[in-house]
Amino acid sequence: MTDASLLREKNCPHNVVYEFEPSKLVRTFILESTQKDLIFICEENLGSPESLLDLSVLETLLGSSSLTYNPSGVADALSLIATKSSVQRVILDESVFDRDLVYLPTAGRNAAIEIRPDDLRKVLIDLGFDSEADKPKLITYDFGYTTNNQTTQHRVISGIQSSGDMTLGNYLGAIINWKKQIEKYDENFFFIADLHSLTVLPDPADLRDRIRKTVMTLIACGLDLEKAALFRQSDLGGYHTELAWIFSCLTPEGRLEQMTQFKDKSQKQQMIGTGLKTYPILMAADISLYQATLVPVGDDQRQHLELCREIVRRFNNRYGYTMPVPKAEVPEVLARVMSLTDGTKKMSKSDENRDSCIYLLDSPDEINRKIKRAKTDSDPTLSFDENRPEVFNLLSIYQVLSGKEKEAIERHFEGKGAAALKQELTELLVEELKPIRQKYNELASNPCLVDAVLQKGRERVEPIAKQTLAIAKQRVGL
């Protein structure tokens, strides 16, 4: 018997669908202890593939000290309950009830069962799992704490490294989206992640210079700082680092060693500082300290954000709800800008080849020279083909700057070749970056304006950081 046939048998309203929102998928796993339990959990509340859910949460919830689960999941879970009495209890993620519809995976095909949350609960009760009995067999629990934060309002936080000479990758991959999100969301906090810069042991004088340049460049890029706050992480460093220490005591060391960036960067450094490994914990504190609900991230930071979500869930479960579990906001277009000389590598200031990057303060002549030298391939046609990384990268940059759809761009350049694309792309870049260079030069001659922006940003966010840390300390017993 399948879930669908069981629901038909019980006359429960449902549909079998092949197109559905992945965020509304409800996954199921068998939990093994002295008895078998079954957990229904929302897709977005799951952890990473290596750690689907913190088992200590479930052990506390069920009063068991030795739980394991089947990481491959269970399809047709309702049918399993109906046909096998070995399932003793059901744990139902309370986040299910924040959705109008949920989707249960089906076995053996790329489809899902569409069902209303209340109907799912009714079926479970009809199968003998009652939540009102002396010993409830149906337990509801909010693993994502979404019921504490169901609101149309969002606070969004974004950090950027103090790189100094910011690249086109920074601008298209982050700053353009920051400008859009200021208009889209209620509160937006932006900070210079200068504490994170210490992981590579920079020269102190150079670091101070780069911090200043980064702040001036962000202001020059036109962020609406009447609606958003811009501040320096180290100006509030005591709050960040103290919460990071609390978080570090809740984070298994093995999870840090699984981080891809740690693996990659540790191979490039002769001395591996502890900060390089604990970087994601400080990032989690950066986010949680300000009660952020959304975090715009590129592909390279998604793993770190997932660890942040795990840490926050673990803290909230152990000490009581204190901060929201943040969600990722991934840009739809050009989440990563690639090198002009190698389309398989991210555009980076650390690249030894200066022609691989467009810098926001580059002159028109420098932009023209770099785009002309940008690598393409021998195919004269232009298409958004990811198997042609250099051409795909140039077209993607053009797409963001022009605002045109992919199909329209391909039609526009049909029969014209890479030279035409490079010429038009150069014109777009020169026009886009001209006001940034002009504003930057104004700020360089008036440093008081920069100091005023940072002070205003600090005054706006510090009360939130102070309150969050005070509650967290009280919760852990300090």
Side-chain angles (χ1 to χ4, degrees):
M1 177 183 289
T2 65
D3 281 359
S5 60
L6 175 68
L7 293 172
R8 285 196 299 270
E9 182 180 289
K10 293 187 173 296
N11 296 315
C12 177
H14 70 282
N15 293 301
V16 176
V17 296
Y18 290 87
E19 295 184 2
F20 53 90
E21 291 184 36
S23 64
K24 293 185 178 180
L25 198 67
V26 176
R27 301 273 299 279
T28 51
F29 300 91
I30 286 287
L31 302 171
E32 299 277 1
S33 58
T34 54
Q35 59 186 30
K36 283 189 177 181
D37 302 312
L38 185 67
I39 180 171
F40 288 74
I41 184 165
C42 295
E43 178 78 17
E44 64 186 18
N45 290 336
L46 287 171
S48 64
E50 297 86 1
S51 176
L52 293 177
L53 188 67
D54 183 2
L55 286 176
S56 66
V57 173
L58 298 169
E59 289 171 351
T60 301
L61 183 63
L62 300 175
S64 173
S65 59
S66 57
L67 278 179
T68 59
Y69 59 77
N70 178 0
S72 61
V74 177
D76 292 326
L78 295 174
S79 177
L80 175 70
I81 297 172
T83 57
K84 295 184 179 180
S85 59
S86 57
V87 176
Q88 301 297 313
R89 287 175 298 194
V90 169
I91 302 96
L92 181 61
D93 187 347
E94 196 169 317
S95 300
V96 165
F97 299 102
D98 295 316
R99 296 150 176 77
D100 53 345
L101 294 168
V102 295
Y103 298 88
L104 304 176
T106 58
R109 54 180 173 167
N110 187 26
I113 295 172
E114 181 184 76
I115 186 171
R116 292 176 60 249
D118 286 339
D119 289 329
L120 175 60
R121 186 200 288 269
K122 289 176 184 176
V123 171
L124 290 170
I125 292 174
D126 189 56
L127 291 172
F129 292 85
D130 187 3
S131 60
E132 304 299 327
D134 291 338
K135 294 183 178 180
K137 296 181 69 178
L138 177 60
I139 301 170
T140 58
Y141 188 79
D142 183 12
F143 293 100
Y145 304 96
T146 51
T147 54
N148 298 77
N149 299 286
Q150 284 304 298
T151 173
T152 57
Q153 295 187 329
H154 282 290
R155 178 177 292 151
V156 191
I157 192 163
S158 302
I160 190 166
Q161 288 271 12
S162 47
S163 59
D165 295 328
M166 294 175 66
T167 70
L168 184 67
N170 300 131
Y171 184 67
L172 298 185
I175 299 172
I176 278 185
N177 290 293
W178 287 6
K179 294 168 76 170
K180 292 178 181 177
Q181 78 187 42
I182 288 174
E183 301 303 320
K184 182 178 180 181
Y185 297 115
D186 304 274
E187 286 190 287
N188 292 271
F189 296 168
F190 305 108
F191 68 93
I192 308 301
D194 50 356
L195 292 178
H196 289 287
S197 300
L198 299 178
T199 59
V200 294
L201 302 177
D203 175 77
D206 179 59
L207 177 59
R208 294 188 191 98
D209 182 59
R210 288 191 285 110
I211 291 170
R212 194 78 180 177
K213 284 183 177 179
T214 302
V215 174
M216 290 194 296
T217 305
L218 289 176
I219 299 172
C221 285
L223 296 179
D224 188 344
L225 297 177
E226 292 300 317
K227 296 181 179 179
L230 174 63
F231 62 98
R232 189 167 56 182
Q233 181 189 28
S234 60
D235 285 343
L236 298 154
Y239 302 108
H240 288 253
T241 55
E242 194 166 358
L243 184 59
W245 172 251
I246 293 172
F247 279 177
S248 70
C249 296
L250 289 165
T251 307
E253 183 182 10
R255 289 293 289 121
L256 299 177
E257 293 177 349
Q258 292 170 354
M259 298 294 105
T260 302
Q261 280 203 23
F262 171 72
K263 294 178 181 178
D264 292 343
K265 291 184 177 181
S266 61
Q267 293 176 358
K268 301 175 183 177
Q269 296 185 202
Q270 291 183 343
M271 194 278 287
I272 303 171
T274 305
L276 187 63
K277 180 182 286 189
T278 58
Y279 170 104
I281 298 178
L282 180 57
M283 177 178 163
D286 298 334
I287 295 165
S288 304
L289 191 62
Y290 300 100
Q291 301 284 321
T293 58
L294 290 177
V295 183
V297 291
D299 293 338
D300 57 336
Q301 289 292 334
R302 295 190 71 168
Q303 190 182 36
H304 288 169
L305 182 61
E306 191 54 53
L307 178 61
C308 170
R309 287 165 55 83
E310 291 177 23
I311 293 171
V312 174
R313 288 195 199 106
R314 191 174 296 125
F315 185 99
N316 286 345
N317 176 69
R318 185 177 182 89
Y319 298 111
Y321 178 81
T322 306
M323 55 204 80
V325 178
K327 297 181 181 179
E329 179 85 344
V330 181
E332 294 181 2
V333 180
L334 213 66
R336 296 184 79 182
V337 181
M338 311 309 285
S339 165
L340 298 179
T341 55
D342 184 349
T344 64
K345 295 181 180 179
K346 184 179 177 181
M347 182 177 285
S348 173
K349 178 189 173 184
S350 62
D351 195 316
E352 294 181 0
N353 186 349
R354 296 280 294 181
D355 286 343
S356 68
C357 287
I358 297 289
Y359 295 92
L360 298 189
L361 302 180
D362 276 348
S363 68
D365 288 343
E366 288 173 316
I367 295 171
N368 181 51
R369 178 179 58 81
K370 290 179 179 180
I371 294 297
K372 277 187 176 180
R373 293 183 178 183
K375 183 180 178 181
T376 52
D377 55 42
S378 58
D379 189 339
T381 62
L382 298 176
S383 63
F384 285 86
D385 183 352
E386 294 190 39
N387 293 317
R388 301 170 63 195
E390 287 80 19
V391 171
F392 181 84
N393 185 44
L394 293 179
L395 285 170
S396 297
I397 295 171
Y398 183 93
Q399 181 188 6
V400 175
L401 294 175
S402 68
K404 296 178 181 179
E405 298 295 328
K406 290 181 178 180
E407 294 77 10
I409 294 171
E410 290 178 344
R411 288 195 301 270
H412 175 70
F413 287 110
E414 187 173 357
K416 295 182 179 179
L421 169 61
K422 289 182 176 182
Q423 180 180 346
E424 292 194 28
L425 181 56
T426 297
E427 293 171 358
L428 284 175
L429 281 168
V430 169
E431 188 67 23
E432 184 78 17
L433 301 184
K434 180 179 178 180
I436 295 175
R437 289 195 305 275
Q438 292 175 341
K439 181 64 176 178
Y440 182 92
N441 290 333
E442 291 176 15
L443 292 168
S445 62
N446 195 347
C448 292
L449 292 177
V450 179
D451 295 333
V453 166
L454 291 176
Q455 180 62 26
K456 182 181 178 181
R458 174 177 180 169
E459 291 173 354
R460 183 169 176 180
V461 303
E462 187 169 13
I464 300 167
K466 185 176 182 179
Q467 182 180 41
T468 300
L469 181 61
I471 294 172
K473 290 174 67 175
Q474 186 273 331
R475 291 271 165 84
V476 302
L478 299 178

